[in-house]
């Protein structure tokens, strides 16, 4: 039976999982969850993910949540097909992939998701205007992270080395949304980061997933 | 065995996470103190080892790693056959569920709990004042996470299942600091969470890490 992913393709966290499934050439079924109708807060959904968030993955009797745990599971289960996303044959390379995955998790994601939340999610909720101070503070943090990436990507083609891995993949959905804002210069003004992004968004798996990333941010 | 070196300090939560994993595995290592007050972590030679200017940094032979949770995973896998098991052995299902709860700590628990520990504990150490409104807001968010933990720990003794794993270990340093503050009430009022904390803080490896702070 094909894996089931519960969520909507416009969610960055769901897109993270879909990218991984495509890179691994793995069949799956996308089961829509109506976030606007708050179906992710219903008891039937909470029994799968008590944190009430998408995505959820079901693979036979296994139910998983947290997108980065799901991608790690898919990459491990199908390590012998598709793109090698974890460099599993070499313990040192595996460790470096995990290192840059943690960098995405704890340095890149908090800053970029705070900006996206203000410029995309807040306007959708319709009650308030984006908080300019939060945007500015997080753009500054994001700039510092991207400075580190600029230097790193001057030495290696991808973050964990010369191969595309989960460490790169995890960034893709939020960078895609970020590039739709008026702050895309943070990426475009850094030549190595720009070249890396252009490579990531030319991959066939991305071209399959990006049509689902439909939310448009407020331009300011 | 290559000589493992850790650049860090015993009061740092992230250093404590790595040292706990090393002690769990019974591995020899050298803790190289970092002059945090003097900004050594933002200067050479450390800034070349971790461009984010943070501790800890682990060196094992020709491998240099940072980000404490990447370091502990490396230790758990590379030295799987030594000392205590830090990842559930056996079936892939358990391995996958461990990954879920590792992410839960990193994505749901830590962003709130570490800010709360900063307000309650580390601001004081830095001569800053705790913000009561921030504490109230963070505690309100943390209880929602702890309610989920309470339900989870009613089903299994540890977060990933029947065995202690990195998913439990990663919580130790921040919980330790919060249990020394008024925020302890959030944990103590939840019986299963309380029981879990007693179990994981009694582990000899953790006791050794606390002992390092006293030296």
């Amino acid at each position: 039976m094909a894996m089931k992913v519960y969520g909507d393709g416009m969610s960055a966290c769901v897109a993270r999982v879909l990218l991984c499934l495509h890179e691994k050439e793995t069949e799956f079924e996308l089961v829509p969850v109506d976030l606007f109708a708050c179906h992710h807060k219903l008891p039937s959904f909470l029994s799968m993910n008590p944190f009430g968030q998408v995505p959820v993955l079901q693979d036979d009797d296994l139910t998983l949540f947290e997108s980065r745990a799901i991608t790690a599971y898919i990459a491990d289960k199908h390590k012998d097909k598709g793109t090698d996303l974890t460099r599993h044959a070499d313990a040192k390379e595996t460790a470096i992939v995990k290192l840059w995955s943690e960098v995405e998790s704890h340095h890149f994601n908090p800053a970029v998701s705070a900006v996206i939340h203000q410029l995309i999610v807040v306007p959708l909720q319709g009650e308030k205007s984006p908080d300019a101070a939060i945007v500015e503070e997080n753009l500054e943090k994001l700039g510092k992270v991207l400075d580190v990436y600029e230097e790193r990507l001057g030495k290696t083609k991808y973050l964990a080395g010369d191969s595309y891995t989960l460490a790169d993949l995890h960034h893709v959905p939020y960078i895609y949304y970020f590039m739709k804002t008026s702050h895309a210069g943070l990426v475009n003004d850094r030549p190595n980061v720009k070249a890396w992004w252009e490579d990531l968004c030319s991959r066939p798996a991305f071209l399959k997933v990006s049509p689902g990333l439909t939310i448009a941010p407020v331009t300011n | 065995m290559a000589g493992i070196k850790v650049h860090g300090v015993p009061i740092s939560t992230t250093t404590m996470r790595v040292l706990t994993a090393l002690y769990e595995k019974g591995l020899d290592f050298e803790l190289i103190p970092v002059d945090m007050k003097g900004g050594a972590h933002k200067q050479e030679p450390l800034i070349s080892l971790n461009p984010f200017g943070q501790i800890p940094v682990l060196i094992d032979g020709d491998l240099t790693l940072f980000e404490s949770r990447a370091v502990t995973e490396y230790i758990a896998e590379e030295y799987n056959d030594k000392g205590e098991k830090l990842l559930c052995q056996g079936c892939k299902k358990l391995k996958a569920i461990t990954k879920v709860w590792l992410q839960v700590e990193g994505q749901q628990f830590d962003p709130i709990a570490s800010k709360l520990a900063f307000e309650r504990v580390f601001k004081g150490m830095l001569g800053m004042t705790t913000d009561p409104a921030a504490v109230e807001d963070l505690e309100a968010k943390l209880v929602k996470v702890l309610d989920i933990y309470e339900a989870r720990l009613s089903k299994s003794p540890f977060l990933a299942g029947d065995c202690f794993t990195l998913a439990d270990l990663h919580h130790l340093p921040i919980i330790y600091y919060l249990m020394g503050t008024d925020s302890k009430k959030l944990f103590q009022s939840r019986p299963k969470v309380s029981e879990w904390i007693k179990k994981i803080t009694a582990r000899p490896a953790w006791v050794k890490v606390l002992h390092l702070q006293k030296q």
Side-chain angles (χ1 to χ4, degrees):
Chain A
M1 189 170 50
M3 291 186 185
K4 282 186 185 167
V5 179
Y6 290 81
D8 190 302
M10 68 175 165
S11 148
C13 299
V14 172
R16 205 174 267 140
V17 170
L18 302 183
L19 281 170
C20 184
L21 287 161
H22 284 298
E23 289 284 350
K24 284 308 195 177
E25 300 159 8
T26 300
E27 280 186 18
F28 65 93
E29 181 194 341
L30 183 61
V31 180
V33 177
D34 189 343
L35 300 177
F36 293 105
C38 288
H39 286 180
H40 54 310
K41 306 295 178 189
L42 293 175
S44 52
F45 189 87
L46 294 175
S47 66
M48 294 194 295
N49 180 0
F51 292 92
Q53 293 172 332
V54 291
V56 166
L57 183 95
Q58 270 184 345
D59 187 16
D60 287 333
D61 61 346
L62 183 62
T63 300
L64 302 177
F65 54 93
E66 290 299 328
S67 63
R68 296 170 188 84
I70 295 172
T71 56
Y73 170 73
I74 294 163
D76 184 50
K77 182 175 180 181
H78 296 293
K79 58 177 176 268
D80 295 324
K81 72 172 177 171
T83 310
D84 176 9
L85 293 174
T86 57
R87 309 300 297 163
H88 60 274
D90 184 308
K92 283 180 187 156
E93 287 187 49
T94 303
I96 303 286
V97 174
K98 288 198 178 135
L99 185 162
W100 287 94
S101 300
E102 288 294 310
V103 166
E104 182 275 330
S105 246
H106 297 289
H107 294 274
F108 178 84
N109 187 62
V112 77
S113 62
V115 172
I116 301 288
H117 184 80
Q118 292 303 318
L119 297 182
I120 298 185
V121 179
V122 162
L124 275 177
Q125 289 169 343
E127 287 166 11
K128 314 184 272 189
S129 303
D131 185 324
I134 292 180
V135 172
E136 196 180 321
E137 181 192 338
N138 284 284
L139 285 174
E140 197 182 326
K141 285 180 184 169
L142 186 57
K144 288 180 183 166
V145 173
L146 292 178
D147 284 340
V148 174
Y149 284 21
E150 182 66 11
E151 186 160 343
R152 173 68 180 173
L153 294 164
K155 295 174 193 164
T156 54
K157 189 173 179 197
Y158 298 98
L159 286 173
D162 290 325
S163 304
Y164 177 83
T165 67
L166 283 184
D168 309 287
L169 184 156
H170 286 170
H171 289 78
V172 170
Y174 271 135
I175 297 184
Y176 179 73
Y177 276 138
F178 182 77
M179 294 305 281
K180 289 187 176 183
T181 73
S182 58
H183 303 289
L186 258 71
V187 168
N188 289 331
D189 294 345
R190 291 171 171 82
N192 297 332
V193 174
K194 183 181 177 187
W196 171 68
W197 168 240
E198 284 169 354
D199 183 299
L200 300 189
C201 64
S202 67
R203 293 181 72 84
F206 176 76
L207 298 173
K208 290 179 182 150
V209 172
S210 59
L213 291 165
T214 51
I215 313 173
V218 166
T219 46
N220 63 347
Chain B
M1 192 192 332
I4 295 173
K5 294 181 175 32
V6 178
H7 294 266
V9 294
I11 60 159
S12 140
T13 55
T14 47
T15 303
M16 291 164 94
R17 199 174 273 139
V18 167
L19 299 183
T20 311
L22 289 166
Y23 280 132
E24 287 281 354
K25 287 297 179 188
L27 296 169
D28 288 331
F29 64 90
E30 182 191 350
L31 177 61
I32 302 170
V34 177
D35 177 14
M36 302 298 287
K37 275 196 182 143
H41 50 310
K42 308 277 182 196
Q43 300 160 31
E44 296 298 352
L46 282 177
I47 198 77
S48 289
L49 300 178
N50 181 357
F52 292 94
Q54 292 176 330
I55 55 170
V57 174
L58 177 128
I59 301 174
D60 188 6
D62 59 357
L63 183 64
T64 300
L65 293 177
F66 54 92
E67 290 303 318
S68 63
R69 296 171 186 85
V71 178
T72 56
E73 268 209 68
Y74 165 75
I75 291 165
E77 288 183 7
E78 182 69 4
Y79 300 101
N80 184 54
D81 296 333
K82 290 194 187 294
E84 299 293 323
K85 299 294 183 200
L86 293 179
L87 299 164
C88 275
Q89 305 300 294
C91 73
K92 296 202 167 187
K93 192 171 168 175
L94 272 177
K95 195 174 167 186
I97 294 175
T98 307
K99 286 190 205 289
V100 167
W101 289 92
L102 280 166
Q103 287 298 320
V104 166
E105 183 276 329
Q107 296 294 325
Q108 309 287 352
F109 177 85
D110 187 74
I112 305 166
S114 60
K115 287 190 181 89
L116 184 57
F118 182 71
E119 286 293 336
R120 288 274 202 200
V121 179
F122 298 108
K123 264 187 162 176
M125 289 183 189
L126 296 166
M128 297 160 72
T129 319
T130 301
D131 175 357
V135 168
E136 200 180 320
D137 176 60
L138 289 164
E139 286 190 344
K141 289 177 175 154
L142 188 56
V143 298
K144 290 182 184 169
V145 175
L146 292 180
D147 283 343
I148 293 171
Y149 278 40
E150 184 70 9
R152 175 65 185 172
L153 293 164
S154 307
K155 293 177 193 159
S156 60
F158 297 97
L159 287 172
D162 291 334
C163 48
F164 175 81
T165 68
L166 279 187
D168 308 288
L169 185 156
H170 284 174
H171 290 80
L172 279 162
I174 295 286
I175 287 184
Y176 163 72
Y177 279 114
L178 289 177
M179 290 297 279
T181 72
D182 283 345
S183 292
K184 68 183 175 202
K185 62 186 185 292
L186 306 181
F187 302 95
Q188 289 171 334
S189 57
R190 289 166 173 82
K192 293 296 179 186
V193 168
S194 242
E195 197 181 307
W196 169 70
I197 290 174
K198 282 198 181 90
K199 270 195 300 244
I200 63 176
T201 53
R203 292 180 72 88
W206 177 247
V207 172
K208 280 186 187 161
V209 170
L210 292 186
H211 186 66
L212 273 183
Q213 288 193 349
K214 298 184 174 91
Q215 286 175 4

